[in-house]
Amino acid sequence: VIPLHDKHGRIVAFCKRYLNKKPKYVNSSNNDLYTKGEFLFNQYRASQMLENYQRLYICEGYMDAMSAYQQGLACVAYCGSELTKGQICEINNMIAHSKNIVIMYAPDNDEVGQSKIQRTWEKFNQFAPHLDVRVVKFPNEYKDFNELLVNDKKILELEFD
């Protein structure tokens, strides 16, 4: 079970992670304090870190955000198939000292993955055009950011597009 904290650090929902079942993740139902499409996992901790760092990392899932946090990066996860307008607006609101955003997608060099990156850039251009958005070039030999962490690779050493 993964507790989901709001931007003030309060637990507002939970996520269950199944190891050998489908669906893999099951979130709490939306409520007055939690709406999945507007929620950013690790926002509270990332906001605190942004006081000292110049870059906010954004990834798809809980485990990737935890791995990035373990590497000392200010990172949030949107935990869905794509970033929403609400999440982009929330990212825009939480960035006071930096306008540098790095999107981290796990390896997905097919057409679907490339179109997802293009749609994300378009959404940032529409809802937060002043932000400098870059995408990490992910090494094909690793399946996700946790695998990088386990293999002693650093996210900071990856190149950007």
Side-chain angles (χ1 to χ4, degrees):
V1 173
I2 302 168
L4 305 180
H5 298 86
D6 69 5
K7 61 184 171 186
H8 305 290
R10 303 172 298 192
I11 295 175
V12 294
F14 293 94
C15 173
K16 291 186 239 177
R17 165 65 157 96
Y18 293 108
L19 297 176
N20 296 318
K21 269 175 104 174
K22 298 263 179 184
K24 199 174 187 179
Y25 293 96
V26 176
N27 292 320
S28 294
S29 299
N30 289 346
N31 60 53
D32 291 341
L33 300 174
Y34 168 78
T35 303
K36 183 179 178 194
E38 295 176 12
F39 182 78
L40 292 168
F41 177 73
N42 202 43
Q43 182 178 5
Y44 176 68
R45 287 182 184 89
S47 292
Q48 291 176 321
M49 294 176 79
L50 280 173
E51 295 174 7
N52 300 316
Y53 294 94
Q54 297 299 311
R55 186 174 288 145
L56 176 65
Y57 289 80
I58 303 169
C59 61
E60 286 183 273
Y62 303 107
M63 298 302 173
D64 288 342
M66 286 187 248
S67 295
Y69 181 75
Q70 282 183 290
Q71 290 192 22
L73 303 178
C75 182
V76 295
Y78 52 92
C79 305
S81 60
E82 289 190 36
L83 271 166
T84 65
K85 174 186 175 183
Q87 289 165 326
I88 290 173
C89 292
E90 192 63 37
I91 288 165
N92 191 38
N93 290 337
M94 72 182 279
I95 297 181
H97 305 293
S98 170
K99 297 197 182 322
N100 193 319
I101 305 289
V102 177
I103 308 290
M104 302 189 304
Y105 284 116
D108 211 350
N109 295 323
D110 60 10
E111 278 185 43
V112 173
Q114 292 304 312
S115 68
K116 185 187 289 188
I117 292 169
Q118 184 61 39
R119 282 192 308 274
T120 300
W121 261 321
E122 289 168 4
K123 286 180 184 178
F124 269 101
N125 283 332
Q126 182 179 3
F127 304 119
H130 62 285
L131 296 178
D132 177 20
V133 179
R134 300 174 185 214
V135 177
V136 166
K137 288 183 182 176
F138 198 90
N140 288 326
E141 62 266 23
Y142 301 103
K143 70 177 180 124
D144 59 29
F145 293 97
N146 191 54
E147 200 170 280
L148 280 174
L149 179 69
V150 170
N151 286 289
D152 235 3
K153 303 293 180 195
K154 304 288 183 226
I155 293 170
L156 280 175
E157 295 170 0
L158 300 178
E159 296 179 25
F160 302 124
D161 270 343

